[in-house]
């Protein structure tokens, strides 16, 4: 480390690693770190106040600098390469997914999901354990893609980046390092045990013991530094980020065994515990492999494509056809309606577009795009209808992965997950305390077993079983519920559903079935030309009333308006040549002769030509469902329509139900928030169009879907319309699922209490502890799988009997 004066006027600084001078504009100073692009090394920076502008450079600990330099990431400065790798790119945020073969355990996940603590330019990260991948969001104004990759390399997770990654060819990267580490640990463990046989048989010759001891050190050293490196690295970076995880006591146990063994062998005061160390690491790696194998075998992590259909409108043979995303190809022309999600990267074909990328970024700012500009998958068209040309084949798993991410979360707390995180933190502190108390006691009582007891305590007690209880039990439930048309975003949603005490329904498109709506036409007789104009205008809207009007009209229709604008909850404006249409509520039309009309009014060229009096048909079974729900929950209804159907709704809603009409989307959101401020946990059920804000604000938002084109990300779950009458059964099953978690907690605590009892007494060797630790995790995983499956089958049996 050295100090370098950098007074005003000096335009270059010297790199502490290579000695080269780097222009100041090549050094990016963010979050108290300097990154020298010349040698790709990250330095800690300390500015000493009072002594002028001094900078103290010191190499950051991590993997060797040679190994970083050997990885040449200079190609990541190429704009074409960057554009091909990035999934999303705007001025202040970029997103990219990496394949990281080094991901092996929950500690890897924890470390990678806390990358933002290393650099403020990294906005967030999310790990998919099953795919060994991580999605990272970063601010390109603060950190470059190359620097993000270098950070991953420094902490020991270099991503797979090669030409195959830049192509459309999907190649599965296999990481064999776990097998190499396991093989090395097994080889050393076996040989150390073999060399230790004279000691086991009571053969006591000083010269032989001396040489055998040093040979054992040579055999154990690569086991510690290579086979056990993942645990040491994870513990180091956890401490570096001032956090706590389970790898800390494991690393302390490993270092304690090795240090004590070397001391005894060098001073010839004992034989050491290197056989225990090698066996400990060997069985830990076997447990990691077995846990990893079980993850893949159970495979509860969902592939939405298998049962959650999403489709888009594609132009073919001079007309628009609905086609599932897996059948779309590069070059296809897609029609994206107002409030619809853009399913794949494409070029804007015509006019301007207003795009909401909050599904991707979590930020609700509207981005304006011009004809010919690139649009990214996950954006939502606002107000207008647009056409795009796909640039590459659509990947539905990308959309559903976005949905599973937290872009739409607004501090929605999962009680059980919060409890597990808190237990995990204090669990590690408690185990460290118990281990040192045990060590002190046995050093005074029986030093021969002191270090074995100390190490066994650190190893056998493991909160991993607790951490795995929630994702495996609830994760299997997610998969099973999907087969019953209830698609839940993630396991935290189940946790929040269990706390719900109030259910709020939207009306149109939620408790009513727009496919069965009866439409009566009022006003004068309309011509075939006017019918085509009306049908063409409502075709571009996803609102249930627009779909009902479209279905009620016969004849041909135009598909390409010159202009189209939809104002959520009010109406639409469309222009076809010289004809201008306005279709919407009386308040939207806002004419003196429209105030006494009930229904959807149609104005063509400033003349009210007709209106549609829409009679809503309730969904099958909704009366019984609401009546039964009212006995267990507070139920309410929020509607943007007027109150002319209030009497019909009161006939089956409970007497204490709140029936509120003429609500704008903002009014719905404020009502949900007001109920939450009174302490209620809200389940909001809507169609995702005029109630997206309320769905996001609620503790759990559920969208009723009967159109695969209308994929709505602003929710926590999607319920197929034909399963709507099963909602109470689903809620009851999910609420009772908490007893499965309680059973997993009891298993985990029993294991830890029994294991600690024998470890503290010195009756448990480190090797046995290393075998028991992964077995506890696997037991909890299998318990969660079996218990959730049995519970689900009981649900299905009950539904089949009642049906």
């Amino acid at each position: 480390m050295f100090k370098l004066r950098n007074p005003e006027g000096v335009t270059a600084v010297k790199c502490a690693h290579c000695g080269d001078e780097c222009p100041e504009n090549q050094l990016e100073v963010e979050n108290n770190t300097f990154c020298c692009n010349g040698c790709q090394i990250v330095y800690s920076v300390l500015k000493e106040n009072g002594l002028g502008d001094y900078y103290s450079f010191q190499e950051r600990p991590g993997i060797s600098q040679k190994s970083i330099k050997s990885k040449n990431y200079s190609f990541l400065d190429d704009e074409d390469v960057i554009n091909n790798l990035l999934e999303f790119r705007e001025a202040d945020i970029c997103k990219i997914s990496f394949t990281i073969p080094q991901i092996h355990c929950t500690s890897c996940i924890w470390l990678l999901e806390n990358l933002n603590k290393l650099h403020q330019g990294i906005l967030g990260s999310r790990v998919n354990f099953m795919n060994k991948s991580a999605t990272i969001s970063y601010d390109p104004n603060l950190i470059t893609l190359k620097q993000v990759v270098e950070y991953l390399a420094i902490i020991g997770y270099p991503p797979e980046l090669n030409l195959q990654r830049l192509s459309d060819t999907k190649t599965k990267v296999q990481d064999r390092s776990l097998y190499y580490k396991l093989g090395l640990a097994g080889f050393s463990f076996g040989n150390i045990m073999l060399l230790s046989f004279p000691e086991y048989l009571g053969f006591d010759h000083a010269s032989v013991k001396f040489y055998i001891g040093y040979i054992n050190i040579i055999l154990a050293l690569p086991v510690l530094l290579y086979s056990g490196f993942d645990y040491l690295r994870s513990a180091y970076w956890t401490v570096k980020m001032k956090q706590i995880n389970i790898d800390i006591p494991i690393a302390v146990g490993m270092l304690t065994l090795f240090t004590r063994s070397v001391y005894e062998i060098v001073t010839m005061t004992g034989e050491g515990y290197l056989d225990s160390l090698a066996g400990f690491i060997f069985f830990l790696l076997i447990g990691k492999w077995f846990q990893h194998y079980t993850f893949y075998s159970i495979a509860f992590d969902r592939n939405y494509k298998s049962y959650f259909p999403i489709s888009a409108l594609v132009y073919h043979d001079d007309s628009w056809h609905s086609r599932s995303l897996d059948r779309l190809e590069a070059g296809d022309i897609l029609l994206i309606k107002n409030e619809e999600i853009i399913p794949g990267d494409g070029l804007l074909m015509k006019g301007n577009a207003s795009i909401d990328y909050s599904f991707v970024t979590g930020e609700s700012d509207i981005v304006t795009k011009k004809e010919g500009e690139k649009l990214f998958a996950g954006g939502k068209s606002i107000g207008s209808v647009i056409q795009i040309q796909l640039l590459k084949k659509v990947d539905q798993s990308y959309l559903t992965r976005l949905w599973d991410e937290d872009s739409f979360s607004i501090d929605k707390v999962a009680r059980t997950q919060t409890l597990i995180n808190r237990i995990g933190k204090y669990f590690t502190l408690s185990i460290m305390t118990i281990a040192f108390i045990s060590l002190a006691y046995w050093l005074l009582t029986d030093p021969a077993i002191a270090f074995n007891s100390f190490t066994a305590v650190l190893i056998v007690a493991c909160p991993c079983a607790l951490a795995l209880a929630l994702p495996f039990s609830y994760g299997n439930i997610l998969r099973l519920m999907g087969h019953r048309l209830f698609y839940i975003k993630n396991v935290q949603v189940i946790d929040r559903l269990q706390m719900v005490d109030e259910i709020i329904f939207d009306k149109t498109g939620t408790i009513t079935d727009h496919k069965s709506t009866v439409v009566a036409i009022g006003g004068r007789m309309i011509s075939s030309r006017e019918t085509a104009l009306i049908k063409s205008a409502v075709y571009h809207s996803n609102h249930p009333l627009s779909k009902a009007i479209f279905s009620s009209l016969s004849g041909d229709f135009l598909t390409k308006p010159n202009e189209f604008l939809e104002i959520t909850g009010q109406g639409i404006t469309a222009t076809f040549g010289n004809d201008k249409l306005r279709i919407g509520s009386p308040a939207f039309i806002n004419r003196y002769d429209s105030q006494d009309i009930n229904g959807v009014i149609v104005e063509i060229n400033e003349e009210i030509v007709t209106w549609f009096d829409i009679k809503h048909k309730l969904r099958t079974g909704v009366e019984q469902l609401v009546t039964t729900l009212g006995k267990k929950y507070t139920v309410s209804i929020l509607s943007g329509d007027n109150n002319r159907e209030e009497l019909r709704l009161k006939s089956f809603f409970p007497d204490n139900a709140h029936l509120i009409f003429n609500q704008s989307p903002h009014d719905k959101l404020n009502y949900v928030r007001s109920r939450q401020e009174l302490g209620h946990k809200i389940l909001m059920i809507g169609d995702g169009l005029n109630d997206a804000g309320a769905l996001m604000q609620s503790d759990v938002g559920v969208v009723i879907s009967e159109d695969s084109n209308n994929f709505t990300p602003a929710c926590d779950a999607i319920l197929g319309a034909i399963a709507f009458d099963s909602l109470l059964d689903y809620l009851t099953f999910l609420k009772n699922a908490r007893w499965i978690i309680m059973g997993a907690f009891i298993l985990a605590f029993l294991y830890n209490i029994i294991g600690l009892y024998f470890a503290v007494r010195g009756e448990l060797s480190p090797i046995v502890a290393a075998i028991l630790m992964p077995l506890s995790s696997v037991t909890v995983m299998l318990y969660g799988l079996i218990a959730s499956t049995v519970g689900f089958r009981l649900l299905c049996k009950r539904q089949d009997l009642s049906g």
Side-chain angles (χ1 to χ4, degrees):
M1 185 172 74
F2 70 93
K3 295 177 181 178
L4 176 68
R5 178 100 182 179
N6 187 19
E8 186 176 354
V10 174
T11 58
V13 294
K14 187 171 291 186
C15 173
H17 177 72
C18 62
D20 293 336
E21 287 193 348
C22 305
E24 276 191 328
N25 59 12
Q26 289 184 10
L27 290 170
E28 295 188 18
V29 185
E30 291 297 340
N31 197 26
N32 290 333
T33 63
F34 268 47
C35 181
C36 175
N37 293 333
C39 60
Q40 303 176 11
I41 308 298
V42 180
Y43 297 93
S44 297
V45 177
L46 173 66
K47 185 174 181 178
E48 297 182 1
N49 296 322
L51 299 175
D53 288 331
Y54 285 91
Y55 296 98
S56 177
F57 295 81
Q58 183 177 15
E59 292 185 12
R60 279 201 172 192
I63 62 174
S64 70
Q65 307 304 330
K66 285 185 178 180
S67 63
I68 297 178
K69 290 189 72 174
S70 66
K71 291 270 189 179
N72 186 3
Y73 297 119
S74 59
F75 67 95
L76 292 178
D77 290 323
D78 189 302
E79 281 297 313
D80 290 336
V81 172
I82 293 174
N83 288 330
N84 277 307
L85 286 172
L86 292 179
E87 295 176 341
F88 178 81
R89 186 177 193 179
E90 285 295 335
D92 298 325
I93 184 172
C94 294
K95 294 190 75 170
I96 184 170
S97 291
F98 294 114
T99 296
I100 304 179
Q102 294 80 11
I103 298 175
H104 287 300
C105 60
T106 53
S107 293
C108 299
I109 296 173
W110 183 92
L111 187 59
L112 288 169
E113 290 193 346
N114 283 273
L115 288 175
N116 58 313
K117 296 179 180 179
L118 294 178
H119 195 290
Q120 68 179 25
I122 300 176
L123 305 177
S125 51
R126 187 69 175 262
V127 173
N128 185 321
F129 180 85
M130 304 299 290
N131 294 334
K132 291 184 176 292
S133 64
T135 301
I136 298 175
S137 303
Y138 68 94
D139 187 341
N141 301 307
L142 301 179
I143 188 171
T144 65
L145 176 59
K146 183 171 76 172
Q147 290 171 327
V148 171
V149 173
E150 289 170 353
Y151 265 106
L152 290 171
I154 286 173
I155 64 173
Y157 294 93
E160 289 291 333
L161 291 172
N162 49 49
L163 294 178
Q164 290 178 328
R165 173 68 176 83
L166 301 179
S167 68
D168 290 333
T169 304
K170 300 291 183 181
T171 57
K172 185 174 181 178
V173 180
Q174 290 188 340
D175 177 43
R176 299 186 178 276
S177 62
L178 177 60
Y179 298 101
Y180 300 149
K181 293 173 182 178
L182 187 59
L184 174 63
F187 170 80
S188 296
F189 175 48
N191 280 279
I192 292 174
M193 289 285 289
L194 182 64
L195 291 171
S196 301
F197 260 106
E199 174 196 340
Y200 299 151
L201 298 175
F203 181 72
D204 189 14
H205 194 284
S207 60
V208 174
K209 288 176 61 176
F210 177 81
Y211 288 112
I212 288 178
Y214 278 93
I215 293 173
N216 285 343
I217 292 176
I218 294 172
L219 288 170
L221 192 61
V223 175
L224 175 70
L225 298 181
Y226 179 66
S227 298
F229 177 73
D230 289 341
Y231 299 100
L232 298 175
R233 177 189 60 200
S234 176
Y236 168 79
W237 282 104
T238 301
V239 173
K240 185 78 173 177
M241 289 187 268
K242 299 179 181 179
Q243 300 292 323
I244 295 174
N245 73 353
I246 186 57
D247 284 341
I248 293 176
I250 291 176
V252 171
M254 289 164 54
L255 293 174
T256 300
L257 279 177
F258 184 77
T259 304
R260 177 66 183 181
S261 299
V262 170
Y263 171 78
E264 289 189 2
I265 291 171
V266 171
T267 60
M268 300 187 69
T269 56
E271 295 80 15
Y273 309 92
L274 293 179
D275 53 346
S276 296
L277 172 65
F280 161 44
I281 296 176
F282 176 63
F283 286 109
L284 272 182
L285 293 175
I286 287 180
K288 179 184 285 190
W289 168 83
F290 186 50
Q291 190 175 355
H292 194 209
Y293 174 79
T294 308
F295 262 74
Y296 276 100
S297 298
I298 295 176
F300 68 79
D301 194 20
R302 302 162 297 172
N303 180 358
Y304 294 87
K305 291 186 291 185
S306 61
Y307 56 83
F308 183 26
I310 304 177
S311 58
L313 290 173
V314 60
Y315 190 70
H316 182 69
D317 292 337
D318 296 327
S319 61
W320 297 99
H321 303 272
S322 183
R323 188 177 294 175
S324 60
L325 298 192
D326 60 335
R327 296 172 56 203
L328 299 180
E329 300 291 344
D332 284 346
I333 306 296
L334 304 186
L335 181 72
I336 310 298
K337 298 181 181 181
N338 176 46
E339 298 284 331
E340 279 190 352
I341 298 296
I342 299 170
D345 296 350
L347 295 178
L348 181 61
M349 296 293 293
K350 180 181 178 182
N352 297 331
S354 297
I355 307 298
D356 177 6
Y357 279 120
S358 58
F359 187 24
V360 183
T361 66
E363 302 295 332
S364 58
D365 296 336
I366 305 299
V367 178
T368 301
K369 293 293 183 179
K370 299 179 181 179
E371 182 177 335
E373 288 192 308
K374 183 177 181 179
L375 305 181
F376 291 93
K380 181 169 65 174
S381 177
I382 300 297
S384 60
V385 175
I386 62 174
Q387 295 179 24
I388 68 169
Q389 183 178 36
L390 287 178
L391 292 175
K392 58 183 179 181
K393 188 173 177 64
V394 172
D395 181 7
Q396 178 177 327
S397 61
Y398 173 66
L399 292 181
T400 48
R401 175 163 53 81
L402 286 177
W403 185 46
D404 189 35
E405 291 175 0
D406 294 330
S407 297
F408 275 87
S409 67
I410 43 175
D411 300 325
K412 295 183 177 181
V413 178
R415 177 180 53 189
T416 307
Q417 187 63 54
T418 302
L419 176 63
I420 289 174
N421 292 339
R422 188 178 296 124
I423 290 174
K425 177 180 178 180
Y426 291 106
F427 184 95
T428 303
L429 290 173
S430 301
I431 294 307
M432 295 290 289
T433 303
I434 293 172
F436 280 105
I437 292 175
S438 177
L439 175 65
Y441 172 81
W442 285 112
L443 283 175
L444 296 175
T445 307
D446 187 355
I449 63 172
F451 286 96
N452 263 356
S453 174
F454 174 72
T455 310
V457 169
L458 291 174
I459 298 166
V460 75
C462 178
C464 290
L466 288 176
L468 291 171
L470 191 70
F472 264 86
S473 301
Y474 285 177
N476 189 50
I477 290 175
L478 297 188
R479 180 181 63 84
L480 296 171
M481 293 303 294
H483 296 304
R484 287 276 167 163
L485 301 181
F486 195 24
Y487 312 106
I488 304 173
K489 180 191 290 188
N490 52 43
V491 297
Q492 287 76 24
V493 174
I494 299 177
D495 200 25
R496 298 200 301 271
L497 272 169
Q498 295 166 356
M499 298 185 286
V500 165
D501 62 359
E502 181 171 347
I503 300 176
I504 300 175
F505 291 94
D506 179 41
K507 182 173 75 71
T508 306
T510 303
I511 65 172
T512 62
D513 183 354
H514 71 77
K515 289 185 177 180
S516 302
T517 301
V518 179
V519 180
I521 301 177
R524 67 170 174 81
M525 183 69 67
I526 56 176
S527 66
S528 58
R529 167 68 180 172
E530 289 171 332
T531 300
L533 290 173
I534 297 170
K535 194 169 184 180
S536 301
V538 297
Y539 174 76
H540 293 86
S541 170
N542 267 322
H543 195 279
L545 299 185
S546 297
K547 293 179 178 180
I549 293 171
F550 180 85
S551 299
S552 70
L553 298 176
S554 58
D556 297 330
F557 65 99
L558 308 172
T559 58
K560 297 181 180 179
N562 299 98
E563 295 180 0
F564 180 90
L565 178 66
E566 181 170 6
I567 300 176
T568 302
Q570 299 184 42
I572 59 178
T573 301
T575 301
F576 297 86
N578 296 324
D579 297 310
K580 182 176 181 179
L581 287 79
R582 290 199 302 156
I583 305 174
S585 66
F588 176 72
I589 300 299
N590 195 25
R591 289 169 50 127
Y592 72 91
D593 54 351
S594 67
Q595 300 307 312
D596 296 330
I597 300 175
N598 286 321
V600 180
I601 301 173
V602 179
E603 178 192 85
I604 301 179
N605 297 325
E606 301 184 355
E607 175 194 358
I608 295 179
V609 296
T610 190
W611 61 87
F612 297 91
D613 187 16
I614 301 176
K615 306 295 184 182
H616 300 286
K617 182 178 180 181
L618 296 174
R619 292 190 188 277
T620 303
V622 69
E623 296 98 329
Q624 182 180 355
L625 173 65
V626 171
T627 301
T628 311
L629 285 172
K631 298 176 181 179
K632 298 184 177 182
Y633 302 91
T634 300
V635 294
S636 307
I637 194 164
L638 291 177
S639 175
D641 296 340
N642 56 39
N643 63 349
R644 63 177 178 166
E645 295 194 52
E646 184 174 5
L647 290 178
R648 181 167 66 147
L649 295 174
K650 279 186 174 181
S651 66
F652 59 90
F653 268 81
D655 294 336
N656 62 346
H658 301 280
L659 307 181
I660 307 173
F661 301 92
N662 298 307
Q663 297 291 290
S664 68
H666 190 66
D667 293 333
K668 294 178 181 179
L669 185 152
N670 287 334
Y671 180 79
V672 171
R673 183 183 288 129
S674 68
R675 298 297 293 172
Q676 289 174 322
E677 289 173 353
L678 294 175
H680 294 285
K681 302 298 182 182
I682 305 298
L683 167 61
M684 176 73 193
I685 304 176
D687 61 3
L689 296 176
N690 298 337
D691 46 26
L695 289 166
M696 292 168 60
Q697 177 63 39
S698 63
D699 296 278
V700 179
V702 176
V703 161
I704 305 298
S705 177
E706 43 191 337
D707 188 347
S708 59
N709 286 70
N710 184 24
F711 174 66
T712 307
C715 64
D716 300 297
I718 299 174
L719 177 63
I722 61 175
F724 182 68
D725 58 348
S726 300
L727 179 63
L728 178 59
D729 290 335
Y730 294 164
L731 293 178
T732 303
F733 168 64
L734 294 174
K735 199 162 189 174
N736 291 335
R738 61 186 171 184
W739 295 109
I740 298 175
I741 299 299
M742 293 300 296
F745 279 13
I746 291 172
L747 279 177
F749 277 117
L750 284 176
Y751 158 78
N752 281 290
I753 291 172
I754 295 172
L756 281 174
Y757 172 79
F758 288 103
V760 168
R761 290 166 58 89
E763 298 174 358
L764 193 66
S765 72
I767 295 178
V768 175
I771 295 172
L772 291 177
M773 189 183 77
L775 282 180
S776 68
S777 299
V778 172
T779 301
V780 169
M781 289 158 54
L782 294 176
Y783 161 80
L785 174 68
I786 295 170
S788 56
T789 302
V790 170
F792 178 76
R793 288 182 177 176
L794 291 175
L795 167 69
C796 296
K797 185 177 181 180
R798 186 167 60 251
Q799 284 189 321
D800 293 339
L801 290 175
S802 62

